[in-house]
Amino acid sequence: MSSTADAPRPPGRPRSVRADEAIIEATLDLLAEGSTIEAISVEAIAARAGVGKATIYRRWSGKDVLLRDALRTLKGNVPQPAGRSVRDDLITLVGAVGHAIDPRAERIMPCLVPEVNRSPEHHALYQNIIEPRRTVMREVLQRGVRDGELRADLDIDVTMAMLTGPMLIQRVMRWHPDLDETTLAEKIVDGVLGGIRAD
Amino acid sequence: MSSTADAPRPPGRPRSVRADEAIIEATLDLLAEGSTIEAISVEAIAARAGVGKATIYRRWSGKDVLLRDALRTLKGNVPQPAGRSVRDDLITLVGAVGHAIDPRAERIMPCLVPEVNRSPEHHALYQNIIEPRRTVMREVLQRGVRDGELRADLDIDVTMAMLTGPMLIQRVMRWHPDLDETTLAEKIVDGVLGGIRAD
Protein backbone atom coordinates (compact mmCIF):
# COMPACT_ATOMS: atom_id res chain seq x y z
CA MET A 1 0.00 0.00 0.00
CA SER A 2 1.20 3.49 -0.75
CA SER A 3 1.60 6.01 2.01
CA THR A 4 -1.20 8.06 0.46
CA ALA A 5 -3.66 5.22 0.96
CA ASP A 6 -2.50 4.80 4.56
CA ALA A 7 -3.01 8.46 5.41
CA PRO A 8 -6.40 9.30 6.94
CA ARG A 9 -8.75 10.85 4.35
CA PRO A 10 -9.62 14.45 4.99
CA PRO A 11 -13.25 14.82 6.03
CA GLY A 12 -15.80 15.71 3.30
CA ARG A 13 -15.22 15.96 -0.40
CA PRO A 14 -11.95 16.93 -2.11
CA ARG A 15 -11.21 20.63 -2.23
CA SER A 16 -11.68 20.86 -6.03
CA VAL A 17 -15.25 19.50 -5.83
CA ARG A 18 -16.03 21.90 -3.02
CA ALA A 19 -14.75 24.81 -5.15
CA ASP A 20 -16.87 23.69 -8.14
CA GLU A 21 -19.95 23.57 -5.96
CA ALA A 22 -19.22 26.93 -4.37
CA ILE A 23 -18.87 28.50 -7.84
CA ILE A 24 -22.16 26.97 -9.09
CA GLU A 25 -23.91 28.00 -5.87
CA ALA A 26 -22.58 31.56 -6.12
CA THR A 27 -23.80 31.80 -9.72
CA LEU A 28 -27.29 30.63 -8.81
CA ASP A 29 -27.44 32.93 -5.76
CA LEU A 30 -26.56 35.95 -7.88
CA LEU A 31 -29.15 35.03 -10.54
CA ALA A 32 -31.83 34.47 -7.87
CA GLU A 33 -31.04 37.89 -6.42
CA GLY A 34 -31.79 39.47 -9.78
CA SER A 35 -28.50 39.55 -11.70
CA THR A 36 -29.23 39.20 -15.38
CA ILE A 37 -27.32 36.84 -17.66
CA GLU A 38 -26.07 39.97 -19.38
CA ALA A 39 -24.85 41.67 -16.21
CA ILE A 40 -23.49 38.78 -14.16
CA SER A 41 -19.68 38.69 -14.24
CA VAL A 42 -17.00 36.10 -13.52
CA GLU A 43 -15.54 38.64 -11.07
CA ALA A 44 -18.77 38.83 -9.10
CA ILE A 45 -19.13 35.04 -9.09
CA ALA A 46 -15.53 34.58 -7.91
CA ALA A 47 -16.00 37.13 -5.12
CA ARG A 48 -19.23 35.49 -3.96
CA ALA A 49 -17.71 31.99 -4.08
CA GLY A 50 -14.57 33.08 -2.26
CA VAL A 51 -12.25 31.87 -5.02
CA GLY A 52 -9.98 33.59 -7.51
CA LYS A 53 -11.05 34.20 -11.11
CA ALA A 54 -8.28 31.82 -12.22
CA THR A 55 -9.97 29.00 -10.29
CA ILE A 56 -13.11 29.56 -12.35
CA TYR A 57 -11.26 29.77 -15.66
CA ARG A 58 -9.38 26.52 -14.89
CA ARG A 59 -12.77 24.74 -14.86
CA TRP A 60 -14.93 26.72 -17.32
CA SER A 61 -13.73 28.42 -20.51
CA GLY A 62 -16.08 31.34 -19.96
CA LYS A 63 -19.22 32.75 -18.43
CA ASP A 64 -21.58 31.07 -20.92
CA VAL A 65 -20.53 27.49 -20.15
CA LEU A 66 -20.55 28.21 -16.43
CA LEU A 67 -24.09 29.61 -16.71
CA ARG A 68 -25.15 26.59 -18.73
CA ASP A 69 -23.84 24.20 -16.05
CA ALA A 70 -25.36 26.26 -13.24
CA LEU A 71 -28.78 26.38 -14.90
CA ARG A 72 -28.64 22.64 -15.64
CA THR A 73 -27.83 22.02 -11.97
CA LEU A 74 -30.87 24.07 -11.05
CA LYS A 75 -33.14 21.84 -13.09
CA GLY A 76 -31.63 18.60 -11.80
CA ASN A 77 -30.82 15.49 -13.79
CA VAL A 78 -32.54 14.87 -17.10
CA PRO A 79 -35.30 12.38 -16.26
CA GLN A 80 -34.74 8.81 -17.44
CA PRO A 81 -38.07 7.23 -18.36
CA ALA A 82 -38.57 3.54 -17.60
CA GLY A 83 -38.82 2.60 -21.28
CA ARG A 84 -41.78 0.24 -21.08
CA SER A 85 -44.88 2.18 -22.18
CA VAL A 86 -44.83 5.27 -24.39
CA ARG A 87 -47.69 6.73 -22.33
CA ASP A 88 -45.91 6.26 -18.99
CA ASP A 89 -42.62 7.58 -20.36
CA LEU A 90 -44.30 10.70 -21.74
CA ILE A 91 -46.11 11.33 -18.44
CA THR A 92 -42.72 11.18 -16.66
CA LEU A 93 -41.16 13.61 -19.14
CA VAL A 94 -44.10 16.05 -19.31
CA GLY A 95 -44.28 16.02 -15.50
CA ALA A 96 -40.66 17.22 -15.41
CA VAL A 97 -41.25 20.14 -17.81
CA GLY A 98 -40.74 23.46 -16.05
CA HIS A 99 -39.98 21.59 -12.84
CA ALA A 100 -36.75 22.26 -10.98
CA ILE A 101 -35.22 20.66 -7.91
CA ASP A 102 -33.90 23.96 -6.58
CA PRO A 103 -36.22 26.56 -5.03
CA ARG A 104 -34.15 29.37 -6.57
CA ALA A 105 -35.57 28.25 -9.93
CA GLU A 106 -38.87 29.93 -9.15
CA ARG A 107 -37.14 33.31 -9.31
CA ILE A 108 -34.60 32.49 -12.01
CA MET A 109 -36.56 30.60 -14.69
CA PRO A 110 -39.19 33.23 -15.56
CA CYS A 111 -36.43 35.83 -15.82
CA LEU A 112 -34.76 33.74 -18.52
CA VAL A 113 -37.69 34.37 -20.88
CA PRO A 114 -36.87 38.01 -21.68
CA GLU A 115 -33.16 37.15 -21.59
CA VAL A 116 -33.27 34.42 -24.24
CA ASN A 117 -34.79 36.94 -26.63
CA ARG A 118 -32.00 39.44 -26.16
CA SER A 119 -29.26 37.93 -28.31
CA PRO A 120 -28.44 34.85 -30.38
CA GLU A 121 -25.87 33.87 -27.71
CA HIS A 122 -28.49 33.92 -24.97
CA HIS A 123 -30.84 31.90 -27.13
CA ALA A 124 -28.08 29.34 -27.76
CA LEU A 125 -27.50 29.08 -24.01
CA TYR A 126 -31.21 28.37 -23.49
CA GLN A 127 -31.18 25.76 -26.25
CA ASN A 128 -28.13 24.11 -24.66
CA ILE A 129 -30.04 23.73 -21.41
CA ILE A 130 -33.20 22.23 -22.87
CA GLU A 131 -31.82 20.13 -25.75
CA PRO A 132 -30.82 17.16 -23.53
CA ARG A 133 -34.45 17.02 -22.35
CA ARG A 134 -35.82 17.25 -25.88
CA THR A 135 -33.46 14.42 -26.88
CA VAL A 136 -34.97 12.04 -24.31
CA MET A 137 -38.52 12.92 -25.38
CA ARG A 138 -37.62 12.57 -29.07
CA GLU A 139 -36.29 9.06 -28.42
CA VAL A 140 -39.51 7.99 -26.71
CA LEU A 141 -41.60 9.31 -29.63
CA GLN A 142 -39.32 7.69 -32.22
CA ARG A 143 -39.59 4.39 -30.37
CA GLY A 144 -43.42 4.73 -30.45
CA VAL A 145 -43.35 5.30 -34.21
CA ARG A 146 -40.95 2.38 -34.74
CA ASP A 147 -43.14 0.06 -32.67
CA GLY A 148 -46.27 1.08 -34.60
CA GLU A 149 -47.89 2.62 -31.54
CA LEU A 150 -47.70 6.19 -32.92
CA ARG A 151 -48.59 7.43 -36.41
CA ALA A 152 -45.92 6.66 -39.00
CA ASP A 153 -46.09 10.24 -40.36
CA LEU A 154 -45.73 11.86 -36.92
CA ASP A 155 -44.16 15.33 -36.88
CA ILE A 156 -41.85 14.73 -33.92
CA ASP A 157 -40.88 18.38 -33.35
CA VAL A 158 -44.47 19.64 -33.36
CA THR A 159 -45.50 16.76 -31.08
CA MET A 160 -42.74 17.67 -28.61
CA ALA A 161 -44.05 21.27 -28.57
CA MET A 162 -47.60 19.94 -28.05
CA LEU A 163 -46.48 17.91 -25.04
CA THR A 164 -44.16 20.55 -23.55
CA GLY A 165 -46.06 23.79 -24.21
CA PRO A 166 -49.15 23.30 -22.03
CA MET A 167 -47.09 22.31 -18.96
CA LEU A 168 -44.49 25.02 -19.52
CA ILE A 169 -46.98 27.91 -19.76
CA GLN A 170 -48.70 26.62 -16.64
CA ARG A 171 -45.49 26.24 -14.60
CA VAL A 172 -43.78 29.42 -15.81
CA MET A 173 -46.74 31.83 -16.12
CA ARG A 174 -49.58 30.05 -14.25
CA TRP A 175 -51.43 30.50 -17.55
CA HIS A 176 -54.78 29.24 -16.21
CA PRO A 177 -55.39 29.70 -12.46
CA ASP A 178 -57.84 26.76 -12.28
CA LEU A 179 -55.70 24.01 -13.83
CA ASP A 180 -54.80 21.21 -11.40
CA GLU A 181 -51.06 20.64 -11.83
CA THR A 182 -51.07 17.27 -10.07
CA THR A 183 -53.05 15.61 -12.88
CA LEU A 184 -51.97 17.87 -15.73
CA ALA A 185 -49.14 15.73 -17.16
CA GLU A 186 -51.41 12.71 -17.45
CA LYS A 187 -54.24 14.73 -19.03
CA ILE A 188 -51.92 16.35 -21.56
CA VAL A 189 -50.41 13.01 -22.59
CA ASP A 190 -53.79 11.30 -22.90
CA GLY A 191 -55.18 14.28 -24.82
CA VAL A 192 -52.27 14.34 -27.26
CA LEU A 193 -52.27 10.55 -27.67
CA GLY A 194 -56.01 10.14 -28.22
CA GLY A 195 -57.07 13.48 -29.64
CA ILE A 196 -60.19 15.38 -28.70
CA ARG A 197 -62.45 14.46 -31.60
CA ALA A 198 -65.54 12.39 -30.82
CA ASP A 199 -65.12 8.80 -31.97
CA MET B 1 -80.40 71.77 -37.75
CA SER B 2 -78.61 73.04 -34.68
CA SER B 3 -75.78 75.52 -34.93
CA THR B 4 -73.37 72.83 -33.70
CA ALA B 5 -74.16 70.65 -36.72
CA ASP B 6 -73.69 73.66 -39.02
CA ALA B 7 -70.29 74.60 -37.62
CA PRO B 8 -67.30 73.17 -39.50
CA ARG B 9 -65.83 70.09 -37.72
CA PRO B 10 -62.32 70.55 -36.42
CA PRO B 11 -59.81 68.48 -38.41
CA GLY B 12 -58.86 65.04 -37.06
CA ARG B 13 -60.29 63.32 -34.03
CA PRO B 14 -61.69 65.02 -30.93
CA ARG B 15 -59.12 66.17 -28.39
CA SER B 16 -60.20 63.59 -25.78
CA VAL B 17 -59.53 60.68 -28.16
CA ARG B 18 -56.13 62.13 -29.05
CA ALA B 19 -55.27 62.39 -25.33
CA ASP B 20 -56.36 58.76 -24.73
CA GLU B 21 -54.16 57.59 -27.57
CA ALA B 22 -51.20 59.66 -26.41
CA ILE B 23 -51.50 58.16 -22.92
CA ILE B 24 -51.67 54.58 -24.24
CA GLU B 25 -48.76 55.27 -26.61
CA ALA B 26 -46.66 56.77 -23.81
CA THR B 27 -47.35 53.73 -21.61
CA LEU B 28 -46.28 51.30 -24.35
CA ASP B 29 -43.19 53.36 -25.20
CA LEU B 30 -42.04 53.33 -21.58
CA LEU B 31 -42.62 49.55 -21.28
CA ALA B 32 -40.78 48.92 -24.55
CA GLU B 33 -37.85 50.96 -23.25
CA GLY B 34 -37.57 48.64 -20.25
CA SER B 35 -39.80 50.15 -17.56
CA THR B 36 -41.21 47.34 -15.46
CA ILE B 37 -44.88 47.13 -14.47
CA GLU B 38 -43.65 47.64 -10.92
CA ALA B 39 -41.61 50.74 -11.68
CA ILE B 40 -43.73 52.55 -14.27
CA SER B 41 -45.60 55.50 -12.73
CA VAL B 42 -48.60 57.59 -13.69
CA GLU B 43 -46.31 60.63 -13.34
CA ALA B 44 -43.88 59.27 -15.93
CA ILE B 45 -46.70 58.33 -18.30
CA ALA B 46 -48.27 61.80 -17.96
CA ALA B 47 -44.95 63.50 -18.62
CA ARG B 48 -44.26 61.35 -21.68
CA ALA B 49 -47.79 61.89 -23.07
CA GLY B 50 -47.68 65.63 -22.46
CA VAL B 51 -50.79 65.62 -20.29
CA GLY B 52 -51.47 66.27 -16.62
CA LYS B 53 -51.94 63.41 -14.15
CA ALA B 54 -55.56 64.55 -13.67
CA THR B 55 -56.24 63.84 -17.36
CA ILE B 56 -55.14 60.24 -16.83
CA TYR B 57 -57.15 59.79 -13.64
CA ARG B 58 -60.29 61.18 -15.35
CA ARG B 59 -60.10 58.24 -17.76
CA TRP B 60 -58.53 55.42 -15.72
CA SER B 61 -59.01 54.79 -12.01
CA GLY B 62 -55.38 53.73 -11.61
CA LYS B 63 -52.20 52.39 -13.11
CA ASP B 64 -53.41 48.77 -13.28
CA VAL B 65 -56.42 49.44 -15.51
CA LEU B 66 -54.36 51.75 -17.71
CA LEU B 67 -51.72 49.03 -18.09
CA ARG B 68 -54.43 46.47 -18.87
CA ASP B 69 -55.84 48.69 -21.64
CA ALA B 70 -52.39 49.50 -23.02
CA LEU B 71 -51.39 45.83 -23.14
CA ARG B 72 -54.69 44.88 -24.77
CA THR B 73 -54.10 47.59 -27.40
CA LEU B 74 -50.69 46.05 -28.03
CA LYS B 75 -52.22 42.69 -28.85
CA GLY B 76 -55.00 44.10 -31.04
CA ASN B 77 -58.61 43.01 -31.14
CA VAL B 78 -59.60 39.59 -29.88
CA PRO B 79 -59.96 37.49 -33.05
CA GLN B 80 -63.52 36.65 -34.07
CA PRO B 81 -63.58 33.21 -35.69
CA ALA B 82 -65.94 32.64 -38.61
CA GLY B 83 -68.03 30.11 -36.66
CA ARG B 84 -68.45 27.50 -39.37
CA SER B 85 -65.92 24.72 -38.68
CA VAL B 86 -64.36 23.98 -35.30
CA ARG B 87 -61.07 23.18 -37.03
CA ASP B 88 -60.96 26.49 -38.95
CA ASP B 89 -61.96 28.50 -35.89
CA LEU B 90 -59.27 26.87 -33.75
CA ILE B 91 -56.63 27.50 -36.42
CA THR B 92 -57.62 31.20 -36.40
CA LEU B 93 -57.39 31.37 -32.61
CA VAL B 94 -54.17 29.35 -32.24
CA GLY B 95 -52.60 31.46 -35.00
CA ALA B 96 -53.30 34.58 -32.92
CA VAL B 97 -51.66 33.18 -29.74
CA GLY B 98 -48.56 35.20 -28.84
CA HIS B 99 -49.14 37.36 -31.89
CA ALA B 100 -49.40 41.13 -31.52
CA ILE B 101 -50.15 43.88 -34.00
CA ASP B 102 -47.63 46.27 -32.47
CA PRO B 103 -43.86 45.78 -32.96
CA ARG B 104 -43.20 46.96 -29.40
CA ALA B 105 -44.77 43.68 -28.26
CA GLU B 106 -41.59 41.83 -29.13
CA ARG B 107 -39.79 43.68 -26.34
CA ILE B 108 -42.69 43.96 -23.91
CA MET B 109 -44.35 40.52 -23.92
CA PRO B 110 -41.39 38.35 -22.82
CA CYS B 111 -40.71 40.82 -20.00
CA LEU B 112 -44.21 40.21 -18.66
CA VAL B 113 -43.29 36.62 -17.79
CA PRO B 114 -41.12 37.41 -14.76
CA GLU B 115 -43.48 40.26 -13.86
CA VAL B 116 -46.65 38.15 -13.64
CA ASN B 117 -44.89 35.96 -11.09
CA ARG B 118 -44.03 38.88 -8.83
CA SER B 119 -47.36 39.51 -7.10
CA PRO B 120 -51.01 38.43 -7.15
CA GLU B 121 -51.92 41.87 -8.59
CA HIS B 122 -49.56 41.41 -11.52
CA HIS B 123 -50.93 37.93 -12.12
CA ALA B 124 -54.48 39.31 -12.08
CA LEU B 125 -53.46 41.93 -14.65
CA TYR B 126 -52.09 39.18 -16.91
CA GLN B 127 -55.26 37.14 -16.48
CA ASN B 128 -57.36 40.21 -17.36
CA ILE B 129 -55.48 40.55 -20.63
CA ILE B 130 -55.78 36.92 -21.73
CA GLU B 131 -59.22 35.96 -20.39
CA PRO B 132 -61.17 37.57 -23.31
CA ARG B 133 -59.12 35.37 -25.67
CA ARG B 134 -59.70 32.25 -23.61
CA THR B 135 -63.43 33.04 -23.63
CA VAL B 136 -63.58 32.96 -27.42
CA MET B 137 -61.66 29.67 -27.57
CA ARG B 138 -63.82 28.16 -24.82
CA GLU B 139 -66.97 29.00 -26.81
CA VAL B 140 -65.62 27.28 -29.93
CA LEU B 141 -64.78 24.14 -27.94
CA GLN B 142 -68.15 24.14 -26.15
CA ARG B 143 -69.89 24.46 -29.52
CA GLY B 144 -67.89 21.46 -30.78
CA VAL B 145 -68.95 19.39 -27.78
CA ARG B 146 -72.61 20.48 -28.16
CA ASP B 147 -72.59 19.59 -31.86
CA GLY B 148 -71.09 16.16 -31.15
CA GLU B 149 -67.91 16.92 -33.05
CA LEU B 150 -65.72 16.85 -29.91
CA ARG B 151 -65.72 14.28 -27.06
CA ALA B 152 -68.62 14.77 -24.65
CA ASP B 153 -66.25 14.45 -21.65
CA LEU B 154 -63.74 17.01 -22.96
CA ASP B 155 -61.71 18.85 -20.31
CA ILE B 156 -62.08 22.32 -21.82
CA ASP B 157 -59.40 24.05 -19.69
CA VAL B 158 -56.76 21.40 -20.38
CA THR B 159 -57.64 21.45 -24.08
CA MET B 160 -57.21 25.23 -24.19
CA ALA B 161 -53.76 24.83 -22.63
CA MET B 162 -52.94 22.10 -25.19
CA LEU B 163 -53.87 24.43 -28.05
CA THR B 164 -52.29 27.58 -26.62
CA GLY B 165 -49.10 26.23 -25.01
CA PRO B 166 -47.17 25.00 -28.07
CA MET B 167 -47.71 28.26 -29.98
CA LEU B 168 -46.99 30.45 -26.96
CA ILE B 169 -43.65 28.82 -26.09
CA GLN B 170 -42.61 29.09 -29.72
CA ARG B 171 -43.59 32.75 -30.11
CA VAL B 172 -42.36 33.94 -26.70
CA MET B 173 -39.20 31.82 -26.25
CA ARG B 174 -38.54 30.37 -29.73
CA TRP B 175 -38.62 27.05 -27.90
CA HIS B 176 -37.53 24.98 -30.90
CA PRO B 177 -35.40 26.78 -33.51
CA ASP B 178 -36.50 24.45 -36.34
CA LEU B 179 -40.29 24.76 -36.03
CA ASP B 180 -41.96 26.43 -39.01
CA GLU B 181 -44.32 29.03 -37.56
CA THR B 182 -46.28 29.48 -40.78
CA THR B 183 -47.77 25.97 -40.57
CA LEU B 184 -47.63 25.54 -36.80
CA ALA B 185 -51.21 26.58 -35.93
CA GLU B 186 -52.66 24.10 -38.41
CA LYS B 187 -50.38 21.27 -37.25
CA ILE B 188 -51.19 21.89 -33.58
CA VAL B 189 -54.94 21.93 -34.22
CA ASP B 190 -54.84 18.78 -36.36
CA GLY B 191 -52.60 17.06 -33.81
CA VAL B 192 -54.89 17.93 -30.90
CA LEU B 193 -58.06 17.06 -32.84
CA GLY B 194 -56.86 13.72 -34.20
CA GLY B 195 -54.29 12.62 -31.66
CA ILE B 196 -50.96 11.03 -32.43
CA ARG B 197 -51.79 7.37 -31.82
CA ALA B 198 -51.71 5.08 -34.83
CA ASP B 199 -55.22 4.14 -35.99
Side-chain angles (χ1 to χ4, degrees):
Chain A
M1 281 194 281
S2 76
S3 61
T4 313
D6 284 335
R9 283 173 49 127
R13 282 172 279 191
R15 184 182 300 177
S16 64
V17 173
R18 289 201 309 272
D20 285 5
E21 284 179 0
I23 292 161
I24 294 282
E25 285 299 300
T27 307
L28 293 175
D29 279 345
L30 290 168
L31 290 174
E33 289 162 15
S35 283
T36 62
I37 289 179
E38 189 87 41
I40 199 170
S41 69
V42 171
E43 283 84 353
I45 295 167
R48 180 67 164 255
V51 302
K53 275 173 63 177
T55 306
I56 294 183
Y57 282 118
R58 260 198 304 278
R59 292 161 166 80
W60 288 279
S61 60
K63 189 175 94 168
D64 275 6
V65 278
L66 170 53
L67 282 171
R68 182 200 61 198
D69 286 353
L71 292 169
R72 283 186 175 170
T73 305
L74 191 67
K75 284 194 64 67
N77 291 331
V78 180
Q80 293 304 322
R84 282 184 292 269
S85 119
V86 167
R87 177 179 180 270
D88 289 352
D89 285 359
L90 291 179
I91 290 172
T92 300
L93 296 176
V94 171
V97 165
H99 178 81
I101 52 165
D102 189 307
R104 286 170 293 193
E106 210 175 306
R107 282 201 51 82
I108 296 174
M109 302 309 268
C111 294
L112 292 182
V113 177
E115 300 243 32
V116 301
N117 286 288
R118 231 155 253 163
S119 74
E121 291 73 26
H122 289 181
H123 191 250
L125 171 64
Y126 169 63
Q127 291 296 319
N128 265 331
I129 298 164
I130 62 176
E131 183 51 34
R133 286 154 196 275
R134 273 203 302 251
T135 299
V136 177
M137 190 181 279
R138 190 180 290 115
E139 285 165 358
V140 172
L141 292 171
Q142 286 169 336
R143 195 183 83 218
V145 171
R146 216 167 39 237
D147 296 350
E149 194 175 340
L150 304 180
R151 290 170 185 275
D153 63 349
L154 195 67
D155 188 321
I156 302 269
D157 289 337
V158 172
T159 304
M160 292 199 294
M162 286 168 55
L163 290 162
T164 303
M167 186 58 97
L168 199 53
I169 63 172
Q170 189 59 20
R171 289 239 165 101
V172 175
M173 315 182 199
R174 283 178 302 138
W175 179 76
H176 195 314
D178 300 338
L179 282 180
D180 175 5
E181 275 188 37
T182 58
T183 56
L184 190 56
E186 194 170 340
K187 287 184 173 179
I188 293 167
V189 171
D190 284 334
V192 170
L193 280 173
I196 64 170
R197 230 185 232 125
D199 297 322
Chain B
M1 280 193 281
S2 74
S3 61
T4 315
D6 283 334
R9 283 174 49 127
R13 281 173 278 190
R15 185 182 299 176
S16 64
V17 174
R18 291 201 307 272
D20 285 5
E21 284 178 0
I23 292 162
I24 293 283
E25 284 300 300
T27 307
L28 293 175
D29 279 345
L30 290 169
L31 290 173
E33 288 162 15
S35 284
T36 62
I37 288 181
E38 189 88 42
I40 199 170
S41 69
V42 172
E43 283 84 351
I45 295 167
R48 180 66 164 254
V51 302
K53 274 173 64 178
T55 306
I56 294 183
Y57 283 118
R58 262 199 302 279
R59 292 160 166 82
W60 288 278
S61 60
K63 190 176 93 168
D64 275 7
V65 278
L66 170 54
L67 282 171
R68 182 201 61 197
D69 286 354
L71 293 168
R72 282 185 177 171
T73 305
L74 192 67
K75 286 194 62 67
N77 291 330
V78 180
Q80 294 303 322
R84 280 184 294 269
S85 119
V86 167
R87 177 177 181 271
D88 289 352
D89 285 359
L90 291 178
I91 291 172
T92 300
L93 296 176
V94 171
V97 166
H99 177 79
I101 53 165
D102 190 306
R104 285 170 294 192
E106 210 174 306
R107 281 202 50 82
I108 296 174
M109 301 310 269
C111 295
L112 292 183
V113 177
E115 300 244 32
V116 302
N117 286 288
R118 231 156 253 163
S119 75
E121 292 73 25
H122 290 181
H123 191 250
L125 171 64
Y126 169 64
Q127 291 295 320
N128 265 329
I129 298 164
I130 62 175
E131 182 52 32
R133 287 153 195 276
R134 272 202 304 250
T135 299
V136 177
M137 190 181 278
R138 190 181 290 117
E139 285 164 358
V140 171
L141 292 170
Q142 286 168 337
R143 195 184 82 219
V145 171
R146 217 166 38 235
D147 295 351
E149 193 175 339
L150 304 180
R151 290 169 186 274
D153 63 348
L154 195 66
D155 188 322
I156 302 269
D157 290 338
V158 172
T159 304
M160 291 199 296
M162 285 167 57
L163 290 161
T164 303
M167 185 59 95
L168 199 53
I169 64 172
Q170 189 60 20
R171 289 241 165 99
V172 175
M173 316 182 198
R174 284 178 301 139
W175 179 77
H176 194 315
D178 299 339
L179 281 181
D180 175 5
E181 275 187 37
T182 59
T183 58
L184 189 56
E186 195 172 338
K187 287 184 173 177
I188 292 167
V189 170
D190 284 333
V192 170
L193 280 173
I196 64 170
R197 230 185 231 126
D199 296 323

